[in-house]
Amino acid sequence: MTTVAPEGPGSPDAPPIRQAVRADLIEIHRIEQASFPQPWPFSALESYLDEDGFLVAETGNDDGDPPAVAGYVIADTVPNHGTPLGHVKDLAVRPSYRRRGVASALLKRALSVLDATGAGSVKLEVRADNDGARRLYRRFGFEHRKTIPNYYSNGADALVMVRLL
């Protein structure tokens, strides 16, 4: 690591995290729809299935039911002058599992996956008015680099945040 920024909070109760599989897509799409004013279409989520950075956190299994998806992250890399640039494209948690460390666990694992690819830094876009997400990203060492006016289809601005790995 080339920065002294914290990796972010860890939790001993962090949910199990694994690679997303096709069977997860319906639940992932439902979480996407519940989380964003302009959710990604199912086909966009499906197009990332083979990415190492498409991860899901599973719910607990205390009652004998099979685990379900508590949240997901989609992260990949793009070429950038010889050193890959990581990109966290999407991160969402089922409303009933928010504020339990699920997003932190997913982001921490996604950053680890991106680091293993040789990415030198990671960027993401976040709604300027999404205070909770902005706090999470700052805890993980992301810094606001620029604002893109009218980035979202409803006219909302996006903040581009970057973190060195």
Side-chain angles (χ1 to χ4, degrees), residues 9-16 100-101 104-105 108:
S11 168
D13 299 325
R100 296 187 189 185
S104 293
K108 183 175 183 178

Side-chain angles (χ1 to χ4, degrees), residues 76-151:
D76 67 2
T77 59
V78 294
N80 184 41
H81 306 291
T83 302
L85 171 66
H87 189 189
V88 176
K89 296 179 176 296
D90 201 1
L91 172 63
V93 174
R94 184 183 302 274
S96 60
Y97 282 86
R98 291 181 186 160
R99 315 258 339 137
R100 296 187 189 185
V102 174
S104 293
L106 284 164
L107 185 57
K108 183 175 183 178
R109 179 69 67 84
L111 292 173
S112 176
V113 167
L114 294 172
D115 190 32
T117 69
S121 58
V122 180
K123 77 167 191 161
L124 55 83
E125 297 83 19
V126 61
R127 284 181 185 277
D129 62 358
N130 189 339
D131 295 333
R134 288 178 28 228
R135 278 192 303 273
L136 171 71
Y137 299 138
R138 279 194 306 269
R139 283 197 318 264
F140 275 82
F142 284 87
E143 296 178 0
H144 175 215
R145 292 285 174 91
K146 69 178 179 178
T147 300
I148 304 174
N150 302 312
Y151 181 81

Side-chain angles (χ1 to χ4, degrees), residues 31-40 72 90-92 127 130:
I31 296 168
E32 176 79 10
Q33 290 177 313
S35 299
F36 300 110
Q38 287 107 13
W40 285 15
Y72 64 92
D90 201 1
L91 172 63
R127 284 181 185 277
N130 189 339

